[in-house]
Amino acid sequence: MLHPAAWWLWAIGLATAASRTTNPLLLLLVVAVAGYVVSARREAGTSSPFGAFLRLGLFVIAMRVVLQALLGGGVPGTTILLRLPEVPLPAAAGGVRLGGPVSLEEVLAAAYDGARLAAVLACIGAANALASPRRLLRYVPATLYDVGTALVVALTYAPQMVDDARRVRAARRLRGHAGRGPRELARLAVPVLDGALERSLELAASMESRGYGRTVFRDDRSRRWATSLTMLGLGGVVAGTYGVLDGGSSPLLGLPLLAVGAVAVLAALLVGARRDPRSRYRPDPWAVPEWLTVLCGVTAAGLVIAAAQRGTPGLVPITVPAQWPTLPWLPAAGVLFALLPAWFTPMPPARAALRAGLRADATAAGTDRSGSTLGTAA
């Protein structure tokens, strides 16, 4: 089974590629790649939160378009789709309007912007479906165990909510309640949210009972060094990541600052790890498939970032005037490169056993048919 960190790094690379474009064709390609890899390498018999993240993405796009239509976004447009009743606002509103004409250009700009966030959510959903955050917590450095525990509880809340929704709906159907629509959704909301919160709290309590949140003794000098390096490194990583994702920022604000921040964070982790040694039970191996999977995600992000730096046409489609977007070949090739883990990564154990069982059944059925045919001929 592939190392969970490899799947998460692959998904982060794919999400980074999605964050640098608003081309709907390229974003659809990102979602399709993530969905295909999930369908090919998800463990059999486990619930997949990928569909829930896709529905959340559609909700984000719809809300972005509705808010754009109601409040406007400063996008000039000449193709008017409809006219909403307009409420006059004072001049201090700063260009914000309430209602009025809704143009095609405004709708397209809002839909493209919302699709970018939806694609990033799909990548996070793919990482959740391929590798459980609980497995990833085993590899969080000792100094970040408290933060890692809180992060894992937050990341597992959505999959647990999906499981609870299926369980509550199945229970209601057994009782003869098979309704749909907003009223049924309101009846499901309270037990689903309550159940997911209780399971997340149980997970946090079980982690604490296993020593994930224990504290160790540190002297003042070690604590000051670790705190200073952590704050400096996190600041550098945040500013560097912003510089990488924002194509209009200064070049010094991107990769150089990100590298300095990463080195400072690594030094802080080493200082803290010397005071808090931990052992791992049956650690997952990190071999060639893990390196190749990470390389695929980094290649997808790198090619899209390189295309954005070169100003490749089509990466940000023109909405004024409205035009049909085209698919740029270099970013598309980078995104397709992220599809390779669907073939070279090892198959999960239960899925491999299920496939082997199906092959054995097919072979046995073929042998029986051959025997019947020979018996009939004799």
Side-chain angles (χ1 to χ4, degrees):
M1 198 167 184
L2 201 71
H3 198 289
W7 280 128
W8 277 89
L9 291 174
W10 167 84
I12 289 173
L14 202 57
T16 303
S19 67
R20 298 303 301 263
T21 178
T22 56
N23 189 314
L25 301 179
L26 198 57
L27 294 174
L28 282 176
L29 188 61
V30 169
V31 176
V33 167
Y36 186 82
V37 175
V38 168
S39 64
R41 286 298 180 265
R42 183 173 64 85
E43 181 62 291
T46 59
S47 60
S48 173
F50 185 69
F53 276 89
L54 289 182
R55 290 189 287 273
L56 179 61
L58 293 177
F59 176 76
V60 168
I61 295 174
M63 287 299 299
R64 183 73 177 84
V65 172
V66 169
L67 291 177
Q68 178 80 27
L70 289 177
L71 303 177
V75 179
T78 56
T79 308
I80 304 300
L81 297 178
L82 72 160
R83 293 182 182 276
L84 299 175
E86 185 171 3
V87 178
L89 296 177
V96 177
R97 61 176 173 80
L98 188 59
V102 179
S103 65
L104 176 63
E105 291 80 0
E106 286 180 335
V107 172
L108 287 178
Y112 292 167
D113 196 44
R116 176 167 53 181
L117 181 56
V120 173
L121 288 173
C123 296
I124 297 175
N128 266 287
L130 293 169
S132 170
R134 299 185 190 184
R135 290 179 55 211
L136 188 64
L137 181 64
R138 298 169 56 191
Y139 304 98
V140 174
T143 53
L144 297 178
Y145 262 58
D146 295 339
V147 178
T149 303
L151 188 60
V152 167
V153 171
L155 289 175
T156 53
Y157 185 78
Q160 289 173 359
M161 192 167 60
V162 173
D163 291 340
D164 286 344
R166 291 174 180 167
R167 180 175 52 80
V168 173
R169 290 197 65 180
R172 287 184 61 81
R173 286 175 181 171
L174 290 176
R175 297 187 181 95
H177 302 287
R180 290 180 175 273
R183 182 174 297 180
E184 182 69 12
L185 184 62
R187 289 171 180 168
L188 291 176
V190 174
V192 168
L193 293 176
D194 183 66
L197 183 59
E198 286 185 358
R199 291 176 63 180
S200 297
L201 293 177
E202 290 175 359
L203 173 63
S206 65
M207 288 179 173
E208 187 176 0
S209 66
R210 290 176 172 84
Y212 280 102
R214 71 183 177 91
T215 57
V216 296
F217 173 75
R218 297 177 184 173
D219 54 13
D220 294 338
R221 182 181 179 185
S222 174
R223 187 171 57 251
R224 283 196 297 269
W225 265 106
T227 303
S228 301
L229 289 174
T230 302
M231 297 301 295
L232 179 64
L234 290 179
V237 169
V238 171
T241 304
Y242 173 79
V244 170
L245 297 179
D246 185 13
S249 60
S250 172
L252 295 177
L253 195 60
L255 290 178
L257 193 55
L258 181 61
V260 172
V263 171
V265 169
L266 181 62
L269 296 179
L270 292 177
V271 171
R274 287 190 304 176
R275 295 287 181 178
D276 192 11
R278 302 288 174 97
S279 60
R280 296 186 179 93
Y281 175 67
R282 298 174 63 183
D284 295 319
W286 185 280
V288 175
E290 281 78 8
W291 285 114
L292 292 179
T293 302
V294 175
L295 179 63
C296 290
V298 172
T299 302
L303 288 181
V304 176
I305 290 175
Q309 295 291 341
R310 293 173 52 188
T312 301
L315 204 59
V316 178
I318 299 173
T319 56
V320 182
Q323 296 180 5
W324 184 258
T326 58
L327 187 63
W329 66 270
L330 181 61
V335 172
L336 287 176
F337 205 78
L339 191 63
L340 296 180
W343 291 289
F344 67 73
T345 54
M347 196 166 289
R351 194 183 187 94
L354 180 62
R355 176 168 293 187
L358 293 176
R359 288 178 179 173
D361 293 341
T363 304
T367 304
D368 293 342
R369 283 196 298 270
S370 301
S372 301
T373 304
L374 292 175
T376 303

